[in-house]
Amino acid sequence: MLVVLVGLRTAATSMGLALRGAGRDITVVGHDPHRERSARAKQLGAVDRLDGDVVRACEQADVVVIDLPPAGVRQALEVLGETMPRGALVMALGDVLSPLLEQARALLADSSGFVGGHLVAPALLEGASEPATATLANARFFLAPTQGTASEALDRAAGLAEVVGAEVCFTSAAEHDGLAAVGSQLPIAAAWALWRVAMTPAGWRDRKLALGGAYAGATYLLEGDRDGWAEMMVANAEPLAVWLGELAGALEELRERLLAGDVEGVEALMAASADARERWLAAESQSRQSEIPAITWRDILLGGLGHRRGQKE
């Protein structure tokens, strides 16, 4: 089975490491326009080989995973649109999936093999974490089909997710993007706002001396690879705007209690949030350990993924 990773950012490179460590008959080929990422993937052992020609790399592929910023995904689909093998699974990764599905419908000659995907994992932060199999530990893999995606493609995408160790979550692009607005994009917006407030010119020279670990921790998301952030946030503007309004409302509530000298009220706000966070983390840990079904999409992957539709088993 031939898997081609088009774009070797943290998610795809971690997937390559997991696939190569699965002990199966899987060949992983990598392509990335950035030499540093290509070299890193090869050095880590995430790919069997690199190929500088993306069309050549994909012409016999069973699976193509595109892990690039939005403009890069668009370009890759344009280049590969007429050349993908019939029956191959094409998956594009992104924090917002609706634009990716629209591009696939517009640019691929046959979009029945296309699935949008989003890997969500505690350790997965583009640019701020090194690729590793452990990076995908406790990951959820959201999978969203286009209107014409074949059931075989969804089966294969689920198999791929299972083999790299992730829990499969089927969703629609619209439902996913509403969730991503609060789960992925609101924290980035909040980190930006914290820096925007702190870096006002008046008083910056003295103010920066007081910015310690708490500020660094609250803004660490800005260390990530920001390529494509703005495009994806604008593409998801409507649900993100709703959550920005909710955030503004929460901050206003805190502001009013502070100005009123309401110590008990502020303590109650903080305690409620801290308790809810602890319950969330505990529930996450328990569900990840006990609720992944034993049925094996792996069997689908390893039994059928190497066969293109239309071929006899």
Side-chain angles (χ1 to χ4, degrees):
M1 182 182 68
L2 176 60
V3 178
V4 180
L5 305 177
V6 179
L8 293 165
R9 303 200 297 178
T10 304
T13 303
S14 298
M15 289 177 65
L17 286 166
L19 289 169
R20 294 200 71 216
R24 310 284 186 161
D25 185 17
I26 301 172
T27 299
V28 181
V29 175
H31 169 88
D32 196 296
H34 293 274
R35 292 183 179 180
E36 297 82 2
R37 287 179 183 155
S38 295
R40 179 183 67 176
K42 184 64 175 174
Q43 183 178 11
L44 290 172
V47 297
D48 292 285
R49 68 176 188 274
L50 298 167
D51 196 323
D53 186 330
V54 68
V55 173
R56 180 179 62 201
C58 296
E59 63 185 3
Q60 297 297 323
D62 297 294
V63 177
V64 174
V65 177
I66 304 173
D67 184 18
L68 293 167
V73 173
R74 190 181 305 112
Q75 184 178 15
L77 292 176
E78 287 175 349
V79 171
L80 299 173
E82 300 290 338
T83 60
M84 285 301 305
R86 180 174 176 78
L89 167 67
V90 182
M91 181 188 295
L93 304 181
D95 291 345
V96 179
L97 299 182
S98 294
L100 304 184
L101 269 61
E102 291 172 6
Q103 291 168 16
R105 286 193 295 266
L107 299 173
L108 291 177
D110 178 9
S111 62
S112 64
F114 184 85
V115 177
H118 182 200
L119 263 169
V120 178
L124 185 58
L125 178 63
E126 188 66 47
S129 57
E130 280 297 307
T133 302
T135 301
L136 303 182
N138 298 325
R140 285 195 174 98
F141 212 142
F142 287 88
L143 300 175
T146 68
Q147 188 172 6
T149 297
S151 59
E152 294 94 330
L154 274 177
D155 289 343
R156 294 175 180 185
L160 180 68
E162 289 284 339
V163 167
V164 302
E167 179 185 355
V168 179
C169 298
F170 291 103
T171 183
S172 69
E175 180 182 18
H176 167 271
D177 293 351
L179 299 173
V182 63
S184 298
Q185 297 178 319
L186 186 64
I188 294 171
W192 165 81
L194 282 170
W195 265 114
R196 176 67 177 267
V197 169
M199 291 182 67
T200 51
W204 168 247
R205 190 167 121 187
D206 295 327
R207 191 184 309 116
K208 68 181 180 181
L209 301 178
L211 301 181
Y215 222 85
T219 57
Y220 83 102
L221 286 173
L222 299 178
E223 298 175 13
D225 183 350
R226 296 180 298 279
D227 195 4
W229 277 7
E231 185 176 350
M232 295 302 252
M233 292 172 85
V234 170
N236 209 30
E238 188 172 338
L240 180 56
V242 171
W243 286 107
L244 287 171
E246 293 291 324
L247 177 60
L251 291 173
E252 181 59 27
E253 181 183 3
L254 177 60
R255 177 178 177 274
E256 290 176 356
R257 290 182 185 251
L258 292 171
L259 292 176
D262 185 2
V263 175
E264 290 184 359
V266 172
E267 286 182 344
L269 288 178
M270 298 298 177
S273 293
D275 291 346
R277 181 177 183 275
E278 288 182 9
R279 290 195 300 271
W280 165 61
L281 290 174
E284 282 288 289
S285 176
Q286 182 177 2
S287 67
R288 305 296 182 123
Q289 292 175 10
S290 62
E291 294 184 4
I292 296 179
I295 108 181
T296 76
W297 290 108
R298 284 175 200 255
D299 293 337
I300 295 172
L301 174 72
L302 298 169
L305 188 54
H307 300 284
R308 300 197 177 92
R309 289 198 310 280
Q311 292 181 347
K312 294 182 178 180
E313 299 292 324

